[in-house]
């Protein structure tokens, strides 16, 4: 699918509306759509994430500790960046795109390709595209089969407690 400038603006806007500590807005986002840069970034993805080559856009999510609140041992940049990206991904779903975050990538190669300084953390790379009607080129049989179901979640009682932690 073609991801237009308007779509990118809309996604960035959804992220920008997220709450953050002191309204620090610590997220920094690199949207990658050109064939040239996508091909370079495909080389930074880990084995097992080849399916992401069939998407239309990669979003590289950056932040650093100094951009947000640090209160004793509590560092909020990762939390606030996650909130913003959760909103962006929901907006993408509303706009009939699929998005898929990845931890499987090389931060070193990503830094080299995009010119990201060492003090900036490369938190995740998120692939975007339209939902494929039929099997795409770079997905394994197992991964394609998994597309049909969501993996099982914890029972609510395994993570939600009433009144006291137990
Ligand atoms: C921070 C993060 C990193 C992830 N890394 C990968 C990855 O490298 N490769 C992959 O295929 N899926 C990755 N995932 C996707 C999760 O495995 C997936 O979202 C989870 O199993 C729940 O499945 P669902 O999104 O289909 O409900 C990642 C998700 C998150 C939020």
């Amino acid at each position: 699918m073609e991801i237009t400038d308007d779509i990118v603006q809309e996604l960035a806007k959804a992220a920008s509306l997220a709450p953050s500590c002191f309204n620090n807005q610590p997220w920094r986002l690199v949207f990658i759509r050109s064939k040239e840069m996508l091909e370079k970034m495909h080389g930074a993805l880990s084995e097992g994430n080849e399916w992401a080559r069939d998407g239309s856009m990669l979003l590289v999510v950056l932040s650093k500790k100094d951009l947000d609140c640090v209160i004793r041992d509590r560092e909020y940049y990762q939390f606030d960046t996650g909130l913003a990206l959760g909103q962006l991904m929901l907006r993408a779903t509303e706009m009939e795109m699929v998005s898929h975050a990845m931890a499987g990538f090389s931060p070193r190669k990503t830094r080299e390709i995009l010119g990201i300084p060492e003090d900036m953390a490369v938190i995740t790379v998120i692939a975007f595209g339209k939902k494929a009607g039929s099997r795409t080129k770079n997905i394994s049989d197992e991964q394609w089969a998994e597309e049909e179901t969501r993996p099982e979640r914890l029972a609510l009682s395994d993570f939600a407690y009433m009144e006291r932690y137990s």
Side-chain angles (χ1 to χ4, degrees):
M1 76 178 283
E2 192 204 347
I3 301 198
T4 62
D5 291 348
D6 283 354
I7 293 175
V8 169
Q9 297 266 327
E10 180 95 24
L11 294 175
K13 177 81 184 169
S16 77
L17 297 175
S20 57
C21 190
F22 266 88
N23 195 29
N24 280 326
Q25 304 169 64
W27 44 85
R28 299 292 181 267
L29 310 178
V30 184
F31 292 88
I32 300 167
R33 292 175 290 168
S34 72
K35 193 168 180 291
E36 182 204 345
M37 293 306 283
L38 284 173
E39 276 173 7
K40 284 189 183 169
M41 275 303 297
H42 293 160
L45 300 178
S46 305
E47 203 181 322
N49 281 338
E50 291 81 3
W51 53 265
R53 298 179 181 184
D54 300 324
S56 308
M57 178 170 80
L58 290 174
L59 171 54
V60 178
V61 179
L62 312 170
S63 188
K64 63 177 164 178
K65 186 171 138 181
D66 305 355
L67 291 174
D68 207 349
C69 301
V70 179
I71 305 171
R72 297 198 182 87
D73 61 345
R74 284 177 283 140
E75 299 174 355
Y76 281 98
Y77 70 108
Q78 298 261 3
F79 178 80
D80 289 348
T81 300
L83 280 177
L85 271 296
Q87 299 207 164
L88 185 154
M89 291 168 80
L90 276 178
R91 187 73 195 109
T93 307
E94 285 175 348
M95 294 166 81
E96 298 181 345
M97 282 180 272
V98 284
S99 62
H100 195 133
M102 291 173 278
F105 66 92
S106 159
R108 182 184 58 76
K109 288 184 190 163
T110 304
R111 281 178 201 292
E112 270 170 30
I113 296 164
L114 303 179
I116 299 163
E118 278 299 323
D119 66 344
M120 203 46 114
V122 188
I123 297 176
T124 185
V125 180
I126 309 183
F128 292 80
K130 70 166 184 322
K131 187 160 176 56
S134 56
R135 199 178 147 173
T136 47
K137 218 167 58 201
N138 290 300
I139 198 163
S140 69
D141 289 339
E142 200 186 18
Q143 288 169 329
W144 181 248
E146 280 171 4
E147 276 301 294
E148 290 310 308
T149 51
R150 299 272 72 84
E152 200 178 331
R153 268 33 182 196
L154 292 175
L156 303 194
S157 57
D158 288 336
F159 69 89
Y161 310 105
M162 301 301 149
E163 317 304 342
R164 294 272 188 287
Y165 178 77
S166 58

